Amino acid sequence: MSVDDDSTSCYCLMDSHSCHLLLDQPGCYALVGEPVTDAAIKRLRIAVFGSMEASSMDYNLRVYCVDDTPHAFQGVVTAETSRGGQLLEEPKTLFFKGNCLSLQVSIQDIPQFLWSIKPFTTCQEFSFTQVWYSNQQPVHCAFSLQRHSASTTQLSCKISVRQVKGHEQLLQVYSSVGESEKETVPFFMQADCTVTSQTGAKAFKIPLSIRQRICTTFDTANAKGKDWQLLAQKLHIQRNLPYFTKQTSPSAVILSLWEARHQDSGDLDSLASALEEIGKIHCKSLPQSPDEKETDFTF
């Protein structure tokens, strides 16, 4: 990373599924990197939308492959809503491997006696570079179908999205082309969303009383050697300690970072275990007078 270990203006911590950035003030920042091996994977969100064209006999299917983030997909939903597009199938996740091979999108199982499609357009391909670096514009393609009769109101087909020598996802389309527009489902409302961003009253927080007791205990080093650096070590946040040194309450910042890393589970067990381990270490290593008690953190 470009952030130096001894930086005191920001703190960056990367986990296997997320990146946490602590800053002194708001601003525009970018996380830039490149895969070390071709085993790297980019998570894509795959979705198909449909809408009638000006001619009542034509129907368009549009397939999107976007970054697997709420913001990226919600942009697609907004654009499709403005043009009357319907979300025809729950979006799915595709793992796009860093193997430098292309992405193929094809349409299958079209009812040939009811619908037709332009020749040589049933399979469309995107280069690896187009997909891997698609940060500004979502990768998308369209299939233009024509029904043979105005009495045909149903469309069923499959959309295959696959990477050469990689993973594949199938989207099953069942659409009533004559019915009014369905309600599009915002990405952030879906139950299988893998990226969470909790705010307000629903955000996971360490109970205030416990937070205050931890900060009181660890912000100032004492004779038992308990300080915020030990707390950071036991919570596996030991990089770039100079950043915490300049904070008014280093322990409070460490706990805020721990909260962010545990938003999904909201589980205090690992924090309780770390505090218990610290207590055991000092009970064994330091003599304790009868009237001197360890701080008891009870969850």
Side-chain angles (χ1 to χ4, degrees):
M1 291 184 298
S2 60
V3 176
D4 296 330
D5 284 349
D6 58 353
S7 170
T8 58
S9 61
C10 64
Y11 187 96
C12 184
L13 178 64
M14 292 192 67
D15 294 332
S16 58
H17 298 287
S18 59
C19 176
H20 303 279
L21 192 63
L22 299 180
L23 305 164
D24 290 339
Q25 56 186 6
C28 296
Y29 302 88
L31 180 66
V32 181
E34 59 184 18
V36 178
T37 69
D38 60 6
I41 288 176
K42 180 177 183 179
R43 295 174 60 98
L44 298 176
R45 205 66 172 170
I46 311 299
V48 56
F49 290 80
S51 64
M52 294 292 295
E53 295 304 300
S55 168
S56 61
M57 302 298 286
D58 296 329
Y59 192 78
N60 262 6
L61 294 177
R62 290 176 294 278
V63 183
Y64 292 85
C65 306
V66 301
D67 292 348
D68 188 18
T69 64
H71 174 77
F73 193 80
Q74 194 59 40
V76 172
V77 171
T78 301
E80 281 292 330
T81 300
S82 66
R83 66 187 301 177
Q86 303 172 22
L87 180 61
L88 302 180
E89 166 72 308
E90 280 293 314
K92 296 183 178 180
T93 300
L94 177 72
F95 298 109
F96 188 75
K97 300 169 64 175
N99 58 11
C100 298
L101 297 178
S102 60
L103 184 74
Q104 297 175 341
V105 183
S106 60
I107 186 169
Q108 306 169 359
D109 299 340
I110 302 173
Q112 296 182 359
F113 297 103
L114 300 176
W115 295 85
S116 62
I117 186 172
K118 292 181 180 179
F120 310 111
T121 62
T122 57
C123 183
Q124 302 182 41
E125 189 165 349
F126 300 93
S127 69
F128 173 83
T129 302
Q130 285 178 287
V131 180
W132 193 264
Y133 301 104
S134 60
N135 296 325
Q136 298 300 321
Q137 296 294 330
V139 172
H140 70 284
C141 62
F143 298 99
S144 181
L145 305 175
Q146 186 177 55
R147 52 182 174 171
H148 297 163
S149 169
S151 62
T152 300
T153 60
Q154 301 294 322
L155 170 64
S156 64
C157 62
K158 293 179 181 178
I159 302 292
S160 168
V161 183
R162 64 178 293 269
Q163 183 182 19
V164 177
K165 295 184 179 180
H167 298 276
E168 179 183 23
Q169 279 287 12
L170 286 176
L171 298 173
Q172 183 68 60
V173 174
Y174 294 105
S175 178
S176 296
V177 299
E179 70 181 16
S180 59
E181 179 182 345
K182 300 176 184 177
E183 181 182 359
T184 55
V185 181
F187 180 70
F188 54 77
M189 294 295 290
Q190 296 169 19
D192 63 343
C193 177
T194 57
V195 181
T196 59
S197 179
Q198 298 183 16
T199 58
K202 294 184 179 180
F204 166 64
K205 294 290 185 182
I206 298 173
L208 180 60
S209 60
I210 294 176
R211 171 185 281 269
Q212 291 175 336
R213 292 163 65 188
I214 294 175
C215 293
T216 300
T217 301
F218 292 99
D219 271 344
T220 304
N222 54 43
K224 299 177 183 179
K226 282 186 175 181
D227 61 11
W228 61 265
Q229 296 188 52
L230 182 59
L231 178 65
Q233 177 186 347
K234 294 303 179 182
L235 296 182
H236 308 291
I237 308 174
Q238 57 263 45
R239 273 194 69 255
N240 190 11
L241 294 182
Y243 174 82
F244 299 105
T245 303
K246 75 163 194 170
Q247 306 300 319
T248 304
S249 174
S251 299
V253 179
I254 292 171
L255 292 178
S256 294
L257 184 55
W258 186 91
E259 285 175 340
R261 298 177 73 187
H262 293 78
Q263 280 296 311
D264 289 338
S265 62
D267 189 359
L268 292 170
D269 286 348
S270 61
L271 178 60
S273 297
L275 295 173
E276 183 180 4
E277 184 179 348
I278 292 173
K280 289 180 179 179
I281 291 174
H282 291 284
C283 283
K284 294 179 180 178
S285 61
L286 295 174
Q288 185 174 351
S289 61
D291 58 344
E292 186 180 15
K293 297 182 180 180
E294 291 285 336
T295 302
D296 179 26
F297 293 99
T298 303
F299 288 84

